[in-house]
Amino acid sequence: MYDDVIELIERARVAFPPFGNGVSQAAIDNAEATLGFELPHSYKWWLRNYGGGQIQGDIVYGLDEEGIGKPDIVELATMNNSSGLYGQKRLVFCMGNAENFVFNTETLDDGGEYEVLLHDITAGEEIRFAVSFTEFLQRRITEVV
């Protein structure tokens, strides 16, 4: 199911850890309990297999299971919530220079996916970017690498 994504990541030499070096299911379960909602299925697959990384200069937030300062989606959500940014309906998972990518948590589909919105910070606009995290990876890697 994810073979095309794995191949694209390897071919484009995206700055993710080697396949299979992600986080534990327990870390994902803990993140979901802390956030108060389920993470998208394809994002959980990515967490289990990669755990975090970068697409060019864009930081794709994972989970800092070891507590060593890796970009952590739960910490980012906590900071955004305390600053009044994005609210409960948006979960930022990727940050670029002038844009952020967010899960629209109001749009959980039957496949366990949230749509991905591109938040253009300069223009102050959100536009639909992808129907799932997998599509986000495919599109973003193809665009910037």
Side-chain angles (χ1 to χ4, degrees):
M1 176 174 178
Y2 296 108
D3 291 343
D4 291 345
V5 176
I6 296 167
E7 182 182 323
L8 177 62
I9 289 168
E10 289 174 0
R11 188 175 65 247
R13 295 189 177 120
V14 177
F16 292 164
F19 183 80
N21 290 321
V23 300
S24 69
Q25 185 61 48
I28 294 168
D29 293 343
N30 186 47
E32 290 178 323
T34 302
L35 292 167
F37 54 84
E38 189 174 342
L39 293 167
H41 288 260
S42 61
Y43 180 69
K44 290 190 280 190
W45 167 85
W46 179 80
L47 287 172
R48 283 190 299 273
N49 289 290
Y50 296 102
Q54 288 186 289
I55 301 171
Q56 292 292 72
D58 296 349
I59 298 170
V60 185
Y61 281 70
L63 294 172
D64 184 17
E65 187 170 24
E66 300 90 15
I68 58 173
K70 293 179 184 176
D72 186 286
I73 195 167
V74 176
E75 284 182 27
L76 181 61
T78 302
M79 287 187 311
N80 284 340
N81 287 338
S82 24
S83 301
L85 301 172
Y86 293 100
Q88 297 293 330
K89 306 208 185 317
R90 304 285 189 264
L91 179 64
V92 178
F93 68 86
C94 181
M95 296 178 75
N97 289 328
E99 71 268 340
N100 291 332
F101 293 91
V102 301
F103 293 123
N104 178 358
T105 62
E106 297 177 295
T107 62
L108 187 64
D109 69 15
D110 293 339
E113 296 293 331
Y114 298 120
E115 73 177 344
V116 173
L117 302 174
L118 172 120
H119 176 210
D120 182 328
I121 297 167
T122 306
E125 297 176 342
E126 285 182 341
I127 58 169
R128 186 177 190 178
F129 187 80
V131 297
S132 67
F133 181 72
T134 304
E135 185 179 297
F136 159 79
L137 287 174
Q138 292 169 318
R139 184 171 172 193
R140 193 64 177 165
I141 291 169
T142 302
E143 285 179 353
V144 300
V145 177

